[in-house]
Amino acid sequence: MHYQIYKLVLPLLTCLLLLPNFAFSKEIQLAAFVSEDVIEKTEAVLNQTASPIIVVESPYDFKTTIQNLKKAIAGRNFRLIRIQQLTQGFSEEDSSQQDTIVYFCNFNLVNQAIKTDFRIGQFLPCRVTVHEENGRVFLMATNPEPIGAMLGHKKLKAICSQISTMYRSLLEDATL
Amino acid sequence: MRFLLTSLFILITTKPVTAQQAFLTSQCQSAYPEAMMFVQDQLRQRGYKISRVQHVDKGLKSRGYESRRYRVVFFGKPDEINIIRTQYSALIPFFPLNITVFEEPDHIGVSAIDPMQIYRLYGEEVLTDKFKQWSQDIQAVVKAFKHCSE
């Protein structure tokens, strides 16, 4: 009798214990938008809360998108720190490549985050990359949420979620 | 009993990533400028170029917040940045790679996310060798940092 209970309960218990481990590994496609099915894959990325990146396609051209992003940053009372090409500091300035990183900051949030856990520096200052591919313009940011979940620090997890939400709102503002 | 042991083995080996695994950290008793120099030298020795050092503490101080030195070193290899930009655009937000060098009352600390964690989050076997190399290099820098004052 006891043996039968073991046979039934143990696999069930094992499954329950393993469930959270697999919940961590939501997969997305890395080849996100290198291929033609840009929109489908971008949407796939957006639909995943555990996705490592947040991506929004802009309906505007590259320059207008950057202007809109700057306005959105100011509109949310963030401080624009600098705008630079992705390759700046690595190679000579290349006007043919446009990938641009916009750095900005909410000092109150940064202050609070650093005091909570110094490791948050991985996400500071906040940055959004504007990327053009096949004539389409994308706004991209890292998603601190899944990484914050790894930290095992409730307050920091909350800050990471806050940053993720802020990125989503900001990218939405910039692409309206 | 055998089943129980097998279950336990599976449970242990599929344990989720912990903060200690996701983030690489170490500390050293040293002056801040020397520690910062040490990190940059270590990165250069491994073929990386430092693209920028972000002085987060200066920004905070300019806004009236108190802060010990807290700086982010951005680094990468020009050819790899180009590969990511042109072939793996979904990775762009994570580049350049970075290491944080921060001051604590009794030591200087470094912290970096293990690139293999980023790789795992993407869940696709792309640039595996590169990710492994970045992970090994950053682990080596963080490990060496313990001896930065020697």
Side-chain angles (χ1 to χ4, degrees):
Chain A
M1 179 64 182
H2 275 105
Y3 179 69
Q4 279 179 332
I5 292 171
Y6 266 124
K7 267 178 81 175
L8 190 71
V9 172
L10 277 176
L12 192 66
L13 191 67
T14 310
C15 288
L16 283 171
L17 287 168
L18 288 175
L19 203 59
N21 300 345
F22 292 112
F24 260 96
S25 57
K26 284 188 180 178
E27 293 185 359
I28 68 143
Q29 296 295 303
L30 173 65
F33 26 87
V34 183
S35 52
E36 284 180 7
D37 50 348
V38 176
I39 285 295
E40 277 177 34
K41 291 199 170 178
T42 304
E43 281 173 355
V45 169
L46 284 171
N47 290 335
Q48 302 264 1
T49 52
S51 155
I53 56 170
I54 299 166
V55 188
V56 172
E57 183 176 2
S58 170
Y60 304 100
D61 64 32
F62 194 84
K63 279 185 180 172
T64 310
T65 301
I66 290 185
Q67 289 307 317
N68 289 348
L69 181 59
K70 282 165 72 176
K71 281 180 196 163
I73 288 167
R76 289 188 171 264
N77 287 324
F78 294 141
R79 187 179 163 85
L80 181 70
I81 296 178
R82 67 176 184 281
I83 298 175
Q84 68 172 68
Q85 282 193 336
L86 176 66
T87 53
Q88 190 175 318
F90 293 110
S91 50
E92 293 299 311
E93 199 161 319
D94 176 6
S95 57
S96 67
Q97 81 91 10
Q98 294 203 86
D99 292 333
T100 299
I101 310 175
V102 178
Y103 289 90
F104 58 97
C105 194
N106 173 333
F107 285 105
N108 188 34
L109 181 67
V110 171
N111 185 49
Q112 189 190 340
I114 290 176
K115 285 188 165 62
T116 306
D117 192 317
F118 56 81
R119 292 172 295 184
I120 194 74
Q122 298 306 311
F123 308 113
L124 300 174
C126 295
R127 55 179 171 166
V128 171
T129 307
V130 184
H131 170 70
E132 190 170 24
E133 191 163 312
N134 299 329
R136 312 173 90 144
V137 179
F138 297 92
L139 292 140
M140 310 162 75
T142 54
N143 181 8
E145 213 158 14
I147 296 167
M150 293 177 194
L151 291 167
H153 191 308
K154 274 186 184 175
K155 278 186 184 172
L156 194 61
K157 192 180 168 189
I159 290 171
C160 286
S161 298
Q162 200 181 333
I163 298 174
S164 294
T165 307
M166 176 271 290
Y167 275 138
R168 287 195 179 91
S169 310
L170 196 71
L171 299 196
E172 197 183 316
D173 287 356
T175 51
L176 278 176
Chain B
M1 190 60 184
R2 187 184 293 171
F3 180 80
L4 182 67
L5 287 171
T6 310
S7 303
L8 280 171
F9 176 76
I10 293 168
L11 188 66
I12 291 163
T13 51
T14 56
K15 208 176 156 189
V17 171
T18 64
Q20 285 70 31
Q21 291 167 313
F23 283 86
L24 307 166
T25 58
S26 72
Q27 50 182 261
C28 168
Q29 309 283 339
S30 167
Y32 192 88
E34 282 74 18
M36 175 58 91
M37 195 58 75
F38 183 87
V39 169
Q40 293 187 35
D41 284 346
Q42 286 287 321
L43 289 168
R44 285 192 190 103
Q45 280 171 28
R46 287 169 175 79
Y48 294 96
K49 193 168 178 181
I50 312 298
S51 66
R52 188 178 179 88
V53 177
Q54 180 71 42
H55 294 221
V56 177
D57 55 312
K58 283 189 180 173
L60 283 168
K61 280 180 184 166
S62 72
R63 289 275 153 164
Y65 294 99
E66 279 183 26
S67 175
R68 285 191 284 267
R69 278 175 281 196
Y70 191 98
R71 291 166 192 180
V72 186
V73 180
F74 291 94
F75 62 94
K77 292 178 182 174
D79 56 331
E80 291 176 347
I81 296 284
N82 265 326
I83 289 171
I84 284 155
R85 190 175 66 77
T86 53
Q87 295 172 41
Y88 301 97
S89 48
L91 284 172
I92 285 175
F94 286 99
F95 287 82
L97 295 165
N98 63 73
I99 289 183
T100 306
V101 184
F102 56 93
E103 185 179 29
E104 290 287 290
D106 56 350
H107 67 264
I108 309 298
V110 289
S111 167
I113 192 164
D114 184 345
M116 284 311 287
Q117 298 308 328
I118 299 169
Y119 177 80
R120 287 183 191 118
L121 280 170
Y122 276 91
E124 197 172 327
E125 290 183 7
V126 174
L127 290 176
T128 309
D129 292 342
K130 291 278 182 204
F131 272 102
K132 281 183 182 167
Q133 189 61 57
W134 294 325
S135 177
Q136 282 170 12
D137 288 341
I138 295 177
Q139 282 186 45
V141 172
V142 170
K143 195 176 171 187
F145 187 75
K146 289 176 188 167
H147 311 288
C148 80
S149 59
E150 288 171 10

